[in-house]
Amino acid sequence: METNKSIKKSNLKGRRNFILGLFVWLLTFLSGFPFKAKEVSASTGLVLNDPNFDNAPIINDLINNMPPSGGVIELPAGEMWIHSPIKINRSYVTIRGVNAGTRSNIDPEEQTGLNHPGGGSKLVLGNNCQTAIVSEKRVGAPRVSSIQLESFLIQGRGTDKGQIAVNIDQDNDAVRIIGVSTINVDTGLRLNGADACTVRGCWISEVRNGLLSVGSSQQLLVANNYFGTQPLGKSVFLENPNWANIVGNNIYPDGHVCLEAIGANDCMFIGNNIQSYYTGAVIIKGNGNLFSGKVQALRDGAGNWKSDPIGRDGLYGLIHVDGNDNHITASTINSAQPENNTRILIMGGNGNWVTNTKIYGISSNRKVVVNGSCVDTRIVHSASSFDVDKSTSNTIIVW
């Protein structure tokens, strides 16, 4: 038989359990409504989807605390805001994301449910962050080796803000940038003094400049990427490259230069699909370079040929070559330029060849123009004597 004392104890226990259960339910309810809680990556401590948090110091600490042999930082899926640069001033560092997402300004936001275009792992630059990832120039310091950036997206605040997604400014070798997307920055990739560098499978678009390789480089490989830039921008620019391989890229409008290599020696530009609204789409200045690919000169949707944003006239050439022993071969040029505009210009130098190249579209008697100062130029199975303006040069034409 229960006493009054035992009944009271039972009632107190029941009330206590009820209050405790109500408290747990209330916490659960409030955690999902009416606001979203911050997410924190358990593996790295990175804070996701918080525009006010700067994740760069966390990543920099992870880099600085790596052993001499280096290490890998795994970026989780989600938006990681940075308000200061991620600095890689040592060798053997890999930053790898889950994937580079859907990437484009034109992708509907409803598809991703995120605040900005692009799913996967994403670094979002704050207004005062000029560079997302940088290896700073250090006078007298050894060059950095084996930096690898892979499978994430970098988004800036707009192409007019001067921001750079990746700037490897320190002398370097064996840098690998694989499957990275950039959007809304001034410059996607900037590499200074890059040796044996690989840029592969990237989407560098909706930027002003795509890839800028400055200084001297050796054995640069740029393969299977997509480049799309804006007027007054350059899609791919190489300064003093030696033995570069620019292979299998899709380079589309509408930068005023799609591919430019100055001081280039013994480089290969092969299998690229290049589309442009302007003359001077391809500029090769140097010696012993090989070009083989597809170039299309396009008109706008109304059928108009656009005026050049930097004032080059139609005689500059859709493809402009200046140097010795360069070879344009096995190429297809589909040009909607005005009839009197130059398709291929051999501006200067000795021993330049144009062979087995199909030039079609709007007819022109300037399919190939050879400056009078050129020596030993050969136009073979590419244009007839009626389509070539060789001036006073000793050009040989075989049709």
Side-chain angles (χ1 to χ4, degrees), residues 93-232:
V93 174
T94 294
I95 301 177
R96 179 184 298 132
V98 174
N99 64 70
T102 49
R103 88 269 181 285
S104 176
N105 281 316
I106 63 172
D107 289 330
E109 294 181 12
E110 295 83 359
Q111 180 180 349
T112 64
L114 298 174
N115 294 328
H116 303 89
S121 305
K122 178 163 52 177
L123 297 175
V124 183
L125 281 73
N127 289 323
N128 297 319
C129 183
Q130 287 302 107
T131 306
I133 298 175
V134 62
S135 181
E136 294 176 318
K137 187 77 171 178
R138 296 168 295 154
V139 177
R143 62 183 182 173
V144 290
S145 298
S146 298
I147 294 173
Q148 181 159 317
L149 309 175
E150 183 177 353
S151 299
F152 57 89
L153 181 146
I154 301 173
Q155 179 177 344
R157 312 314 303 154
T159 57
D160 59 343
K161 306 299 182 184
Q163 294 173 314
I164 302 175
V166 177
N167 183 13
I168 309 297
D169 200 31
Q170 178 65 12
D171 291 341
N172 60 88
D173 71 293
V175 169
R176 297 176 181 87
I177 302 173
I178 302 170
V180 170
S181 295
T182 66
I183 188 173
N184 293 356
V185 293
D186 177 90
T187 299
L189 309 176
R190 182 183 181 277
L191 310 171
N192 183 31
D195 291 347
C197 175
T198 297
V199 179
R200 175 167 53 83
C202 295
W203 196 88
I204 311 298
S205 297
E206 296 170 37
V207 298
R208 191 172 69 90
N209 294 302
L211 167 64
L212 304 180
S213 175
V214 298
S216 296
S217 65
Q218 299 183 69
Q219 300 167 334
L220 175 65
L221 174 63
V222 180
N224 304 329
N225 303 286
Y226 297 86
F227 293 100
T229 58
Q230 296 180 348
L232 299 179

Side-chain angles (χ1 to χ4, degrees), residues 342-362:
T342 300
R343 278 50 174 167
I344 299 175
L345 173 64
I346 309 299
M347 182 64 187
N350 303 333
N352 294 297
W353 290 11
V354 179
T355 68
N356 299 314
T357 290
K358 174 72 173 178
I359 305 172
Y360 68 107
I362 293 178

Side-chain angles (χ1 to χ4, degrees), residues 220-287:
L220 175 65
L221 174 63
V222 180
N224 304 329
N225 303 286
Y226 297 86
F227 293 100
T229 58
Q230 296 180 348
L232 299 179
K234 299 182 179 184
S235 297
V236 177
F237 172 78
L238 312 178
E239 182 181 40
N240 300 322
N242 292 287
W243 314 298
N245 294 282
I246 314 301
V247 181
N249 300 285
N250 197 316
I251 304 175
Y252 44 88
D254 68 350
H256 75 267
V257 174
C258 291
L259 171 62
E260 181 176 6
I262 61 173
N265 293 296
D266 302 305
C267 298
M268 296 199 304
F269 309 98
I270 297 178
N272 300 290
N273 195 330
I274 297 171
Q275 306 111 49
S276 180
Y277 291 123
Y278 311 112
T279 191
V282 176
I283 303 170
I284 299 173
K285 298 181 179 181
N287 305 313

Side-chain angles (χ1 to χ4, degrees), residues 4 9 25 51-53 62 76 107 147 228 231 339 347 363:
N4 287 337
K9 286 177 67 177
W25 177 87
N52 298 312
F53 189 85
L62 292 171
D107 289 330
I147 294 173
E339 183 176 354
M347 182 64 187
S363 62

Side-chain angles (χ1 to χ4, degrees), residues 7-80:
I7 292 172
K8 287 181 180 180
K9 286 177 67 177
S10 177
N11 290 338
L12 286 172
K13 184 177 180 180
R15 284 196 297 270
R16 183 183 63 188
N17 290 341
F18 173 78
I19 293 171
L20 182 61
L22 180 63
F23 180 70
V24 171
W25 177 87
L26 187 60
L27 284 178
T28 304
F29 177 78
L30 289 177
S31 67
F33 181 86
F35 47 81
K36 181 180 179 181
K38 256 189 306 194
E39 301 175 47
V40 179
S41 169
S43 60
T44 60
L46 296 170
V47 174
L48 307 180
N49 309 315
D50 184 352
N52 298 312
F53 189 85
D54 185 6
N55 282 284
I58 295 175
I59 297 175
N60 289 335
D61 285 344
L62 292 171
I63 293 170
N64 294 332
N65 290 321
M66 286 180 178
S69 57
V72 178
I73 297 173
E74 299 279 358
L75 300 179
E79 296 181 359
M80 287 150 280

